[in-house]
Amino acid sequence: MSDDRQYFQPEIETMPVEKLKDLQLKNLKEVVTRVYNENPYFKKVYKDAGFEPGDLKTLDDIKKIPFMEKGTVRDGYPLKIVTGQIGDQREMHSTSGTTGKPVLIFASEYDIDLWADRNARELWMVGVRPGDIFLNSFGYGLPTGGFGFHYGAQKMGACPIPLSGGQSDRMIDLLVDLPIKAFCATPSFALYVGQKAQEKGFDLAKDSACEISLHGAEPWPWSTREKIEELFGVTAYDEFGMTEFLGPGMTCECEARSKDMPIRMHLWADHLLAECINPDTGEPVADGEDGEMVWTNLVNTGTPLIRFRSRDLAAMTWDLCPCGRTHPRMAAIKGRSDDAVSISGLVVFPSQVEEALTGFPEMGANFRMIIETDKRGMDHFTLIIELKDKTLLDDKGNVANLTQKMKESVKAVTDVNPKVVELIGPDELPRATAGEGKTASARVEDRRKK
Ligand code: ZN
């Protein structure tokens, strides 16, 4: 096949939707039958729920399969939910386990091969081609981070550089010295590297050959994307993955992505079955509406999670994309179903507040929302925002102006007007412990009486 083709695996990526759904049903039956027959844990859970693999007649019957909750998956530690034989596994990854036991995910040679396919599709989709050099600054370690794109790049004939995370000087040198076509990094690290390069006197938009970048693992508003594109002279794409599903290679934006398209990342429906449900009722939400993402790994033989409740809130759609791929799309994660806060009946996510605030160059690293109830029983919230530089607080006129603008910006994104906005110096808010910096518990203080 030629390098100028549009898709890495054209037959799969553009498979007619009906055929794709037939394939999903076939793969679902297979994986469920396998875990039922080969794994006592799954067999017991399914029997207790009155479910048998033979009950799966249509895709809709997936509703009969009980959900896997994060807690149950953690209870499966270390090997209860592994379905493959340990001797057949070729790689193991693990979640961080900051909130309890980690989840161990095994992959056989077959699983790694399909994982590489998914990542190769994504790299191809954003414009990487055989012979290109791809700099990978996702971490190579227990979380899957760097590995997915590494295998994907090799599979499609590109050359990955396993830089791994946190090596900004090395990354700048490599970007300047080698004809690197694309890189991946977390958005915050990319911003850091771009700014550091400027301090060293480089303009990576001109001094590197880079054209493409991929970013994930953190929420990042469109304004951050524009900043990265400017710093590196690239077109930046969003991608998403969870270690429970071998991480990178779950969803990624295609060449048709634009700011006006709210749901932008394709998810690979031949390998993954995604449902979007109402977190309270467990019932599916309408196509395109926000709900909780529930994932089933249709092909993994090592540790296939089935109907895993991610608690991530996003929208998904089967609407056809202008790029010609028939696989459904998922929007960027909007928040977590256990993180959303309700203020006077309106649902607000800390990630929305962040999105509103990152547009301000004066904004520092952290903010905190304090929610209270007044004497009339009305909810309101105060927003405390760290600025980048303490001297910004010296000019009272400036502070008043900035406070008002930030207030308006937060109201525009969340529909809720913060009652008070208080600006403080850098690092004055209490630090969150590792791993929870972006969670609601670190950013929201709910003082309302329950
Ligand atoms: Zn597309």
Side-chain angles (χ1 to χ4, degrees), residues 6-7 125 252-257 261 263-266 320-327 329:
Q6 192 186 347
Y7 316 104
M125 182 158 78
C252 186
E253 288 175 350
C254 66
E255 65 274 25
R257 109 283 188 266
M261 186 195 258
I263 306 181
R264 295 188 283 258
M265 290 188 286
H266 285 282
L320 289 182
C321 179
C323 76
R325 289 178 187 82
T326 48
H327 293 240
R329 281 167 292 152

Side-chain angles (χ1 to χ4, degrees), residues 321-389:
C321 179
C323 76
R325 289 178 187 82
T326 48
H327 293 240
R329 281 167 292 152
M330 181 186 89
I333 307 294
K334 196 171 179 182
R336 299 187 49 74
S337 61
D338 34 14
D339 280 0
V341 279
S342 169
I343 300 173
S344 300
L346 285 164
V347 173
V348 176
F349 297 102
S351 56
Q352 292 178 302
V353 175
E354 176 181 36
E355 182 172 341
L357 295 176
T358 45
F360 292 88
E362 298 91 345
M363 165 75 183
N366 278 298
F367 65 86
R368 179 162 278 222
M369 298 166 65
I370 296 172
I371 309 166
E372 292 166 301
T373 311
D374 68 14
K375 283 182 192 136
R376 295 170 300 152
M378 301 289 284
D379 292 343
H380 60 81
F381 79 103
T382 296
L383 197 52
I384 304 177
I385 303 166
E386 283 184 357
L387 297 184
K388 226 179 231 164
D389 183 350

Side-chain angles (χ1 to χ4, degrees), residues 5 61 72 108 127 155 160 164 188 209 285 289 300 304 319 374 419 427 433 438:
R5 68 187 195 271
D61 292 331
T72 21
S108 66
K155 181 124 194 193
S164 205
S188 58
V285 300
E289 276 183 17
N300 216 64
D319 271 1
D374 68 14
K419 189 178 177 199
D427 301 324
T433 51
K438 299 266 179 195

